[in-house]
Amino acid sequence: MITGHVVPCCGVMMSNNRTKLEELSFGNINEQSLKDIWFSDKYKQFRKMITNPIAPVPKVCMGCRAFNTAERARRYGVK
């Protein structure tokens, strides 16, 4: 984001809820390196969840227009 907050993809930007996205971001490149953000526990957990079809939907992905998360959230929850 222009504020330096790192979010997983452009799809979540479509929500246009900047405050929520800043809260759910993986870090801020004005405060730490992109490498540190990418290898953080939070981002590692996100990558595991997003690639597992039976894992809960990450909060930042809820409402994504590019990937229908409603059914997966109903079945496995949101985390």
Side-chain angles (χ1 to χ4, degrees):
M1 297 174 61
I2 197 162
T3 57
H5 291 87
V6 177
V7 294
C9 70
C10 62
V12 300
M13 297 298 291
M14 288 188 270
S15 72
N16 203 27
N17 187 341
R18 306 287 182 195
T19 303
K20 177 184 169 192
L21 291 174
E22 288 176 3
E23 291 171 8
L24 296 174
S25 74
F26 296 103
N28 188 304
I29 59 171
N30 295 317
E31 299 168 3
Q32 60 190 128
S33 72
L34 186 56
K35 182 179 178 181
D36 287 344
I37 293 169
W38 182 257
F39 289 108
S40 69
D41 290 339
K42 186 176 180 179
Y43 220 141
K44 286 179 190 176
Q45 183 177 358
F46 169 79
R47 289 192 296 272
K48 284 181 184 177
M49 287 172 57
I50 200 69
T51 58
N52 181 350
I54 61 170
V57 176
K59 284 182 187 179
V60 72
C61 297
M62 280 308 299
C64 175
R65 296 179 193 177
F67 182 68
N68 184 0
T69 56
E71 178 60 22
R72 183 169 155 184
R74 186 187 67 73
R75 294 178 120 191
Y76 307 109
V78 178
K79 186 174 179 185

